[in-house]
Amino acid sequence: MQTQTEEYLNNQARTGKDGRIKPEIVAIGTFIESTVPPPFDYYWENTGTSMASPAIAGGLALLYEKYRLLHPPGLNPKNGLMKALVCNSADDWGKPGPDYTHGFGVVNFLRAVDMLESNHYYTSTIAPGSPQTITVNVPAGTADLKVMLYWNDPEAAVLASQTLVNDLDLEVVTPLPATILPLVLDTLPANIKNDATNGVDLNGHRIIKKIKNPVAGNYTIRVLPTNITQNSPQEYFIVYDFVPLETKRHRPGPASYQQKRYRAFQHQPSFYYL
């Protein structure tokens, strides 16, 4: 039995000078079987970002196609919604929550499609003033509740020390009730390897909150217009995922193929080959 480890990842993220995570997502990029150009004309394994990047691009193309199949002809999704779905559906890897090595995690388009098919997303606009809320019902047997707030922020001034222009914030109120703040990273150079902690995000326009072992019931997602200085009202996207506590076959393959891939969700997914 083998488990998938960090050595298979590519596109490792690094922090920008103002604390942003770039890139936001990582993908498997090692020992990927792909086509070889002429004069070879066969398949072989290759490694690098040239293998990881097509996985993201191809997965997004299929996600766009899925959206179009679920909606009336000619209706295309907003780019912000697609980015939020991909980032929020990522499998957490490395340190708990986002980090400056893996971003929001390893891409998982199965979870992104599940959110899309289940209509677990919400789009609206917000102006300075009162917060806006939506209510979601978390079912029993949920391992993680993952919520992401995303918005396309206006362009910052050239050489600005702080590139965030419009600042929105996210809160999740549980049935207890308790107010949960997002996971944020310490941007001081000496602390960038620290685990993410709950707090107010002052740097990014992608805010994520993960609640482990959420009790079943109604949760209120609150979007706060903390500081909107341009292009008001600001459009935003909320996506949320009920990650089930389960082990399921991830890649069955034909009956003659003995290696089967399983995915186990226990707060941090594990992969097993039998």
Side-chain angles (χ1 to χ4, degrees), residues 28-174:
I28 307 301
T30 302
F31 305 124
I32 304 298
E33 187 170 316
S34 184
T35 55
V36 183
F40 303 102
D41 294 328
Y42 59 85
Y43 293 85
W44 70 6
E45 290 182 343
N46 209 338
T47 294
T49 55
S50 294
M51 298 292 102
S53 179
I56 303 293
L60 265 169
L62 292 173
L63 196 61
Y64 270 84
E65 181 182 17
K66 186 64 174 180
Y67 182 95
R68 291 165 180 156
L69 290 173
L70 295 172
H71 293 84
L75 185 61
N76 291 314
K78 296 288 186 70
N79 70 317
L81 173 61
M82 293 291 102
K83 192 168 184 179
L85 287 169
V86 172
C87 289
N88 195 54
S89 60
D91 294 335
D92 197 3
W93 212 267
K95 294 181 177 295
D99 59 55
Y100 289 128
T101 300
H102 308 93
F104 293 104
V106 181
V107 64
N108 182 347
F109 283 106
L110 289 176
R111 297 303 318 161
V113 168
D114 187 81
M115 281 189 284
L116 199 58
E117 291 180 329
S118 303
N119 291 316
H120 288 174
Y121 58 90
Y122 177 79
T123 304
S124 188
T125 60
I126 191 168
S130 301
Q132 295 181 2
T133 64
I134 64 170
T135 300
V136 299
N137 185 265
V138 177
T142 299
D144 293 318
L145 167 62
K146 296 172 64 179
V147 181
M148 175 168 278
L149 166 64
Y150 179 86
W151 66 100
N152 284 320
D153 200 42
E155 183 178 354
V158 176
L159 300 180
S161 59
Q162 177 68 34
T163 58
L164 185 65
V165 176
N166 287 344
D167 185 9
L168 308 185
D169 284 307
L170 173 70
E171 296 177 348
V172 178
V173 182
T174 72

Side-chain angles (χ1 to χ4, degrees), residues 247-267:
T247 299
K248 65 187 300 184
R249 184 182 294 185
H250 178 59
R251 189 177 62 202
S256 61
Y257 185 62
Q258 296 302 312
Q259 186 186 63
K260 296 179 176 63
R261 190 184 190 202
Y262 290 80
R263 180 190 298 268
F265 286 106
Q266 295 175 340
H267 308 310

Side-chain angles (χ1 to χ4, degrees), residues 13-22 100-101 186-187 192:
R14 294 293 182 265
T15 174
K17 291 183 178 180
D18 62 352
R20 290 176 297 166
I21 299 174
K22 288 292 181 181
Y100 289 128
T101 300
D186 193 330
T187 60
I192 60 173

